[in-house]
Amino acid sequence: MSRKASCSCGELQVEVNGEPKMVVACSCTNCQKRTGSVFGVSAYFSNDQVVAKNGKFKSFTSTGDSGGKLERHFCPNCGSTVFWEAGFVPQSVGIAVGCFSDPKFPQPIAAAWCASKHEWVSFPNGMPTSNSQDFSKGA
């Protein structure tokens, strides 16, 4: 299965093959600022699943809440962040789920960085949560 994600204006596109290795709802401050919302939903694909990156993009590198490097890539025309590399998910590309424009896209398996989650945000009962990117310890 091939999937294509694009920015708001369509100039920047990423095409991937197969299912994501992980889909996560994240309330870290970087995702909040990246989306302008209270959390982001990210799909992570192995580097070898990336078929093509089309269009020009600019990059912004920062330190994530985990202390690791986070390199975001966004469209210089419309400003949409479409994909990124995060140090805590090596050999992978994160892609904003909303950029796929697919209401049937797989749902998140967990919610991360819940320590910085807005108090009024709730995730489905039974969804694993964590105060970091490590889901094995729980919130």
Side-chain angles (χ1 to χ4, degrees):
M1 168 184 281
S2 178
R3 300 178 193 269
K4 193 176 284 188
S6 65
C7 64
S8 292
C9 70
E11 292 295 318
L12 176 57
Q13 299 178 354
V14 178
E15 186 176 350
V16 292
N17 274 331
E19 295 296 319
K21 18 189 255 189
M22 166 173 64
V23 179
V24 178
C26 183
S27 296
C28 78
T29 56
N30 272 293
C31 281
Q32 290 178 26
K33 291 177 182 184
R34 173 181 62 80
T35 64
S37 187
V38 295
F39 62 90
V41 181
S42 308
Y44 289 91
F45 293 86
S46 298
N47 286 342
D48 62 0
Q49 290 179 275
V50 178
V51 174
K53 295 175 185 172
N54 298 311
K56 294 179 183 175
F57 59 85
K58 289 190 174 186
S59 299
F60 175 73
T61 303
S62 64
T63 301
D65 287 357
S66 66
K69 182 178 132 181
L70 179 65
E71 186 172 355
R72 292 177 267 188
H73 309 291
F74 59 95
C75 175
N77 187 45
C78 69
S80 296
T81 300
V82 178
F83 67 100
W84 54 88
E85 290 87 27
F88 62 88
V89 189
Q91 303 300 312
S92 298
V93 172
I95 302 175
V97 169
C99 290
F100 286 101
S101 300
D102 178 3
K104 294 182 181 182
F105 199 87
Q107 70 183 33
I109 60 164
W113 292 103
C114 291
S116 49
K117 175 179 76 64
H118 288 239
E119 290 180 4
W120 50 267
V121 171
S122 61
F123 294 105
N125 288 333
M127 177 180 277
T129 62
S130 174
N131 285 332
S132 70
Q133 76 275 3
D134 183 359
F135 306 115
S136 62
K137 296 181 177 110

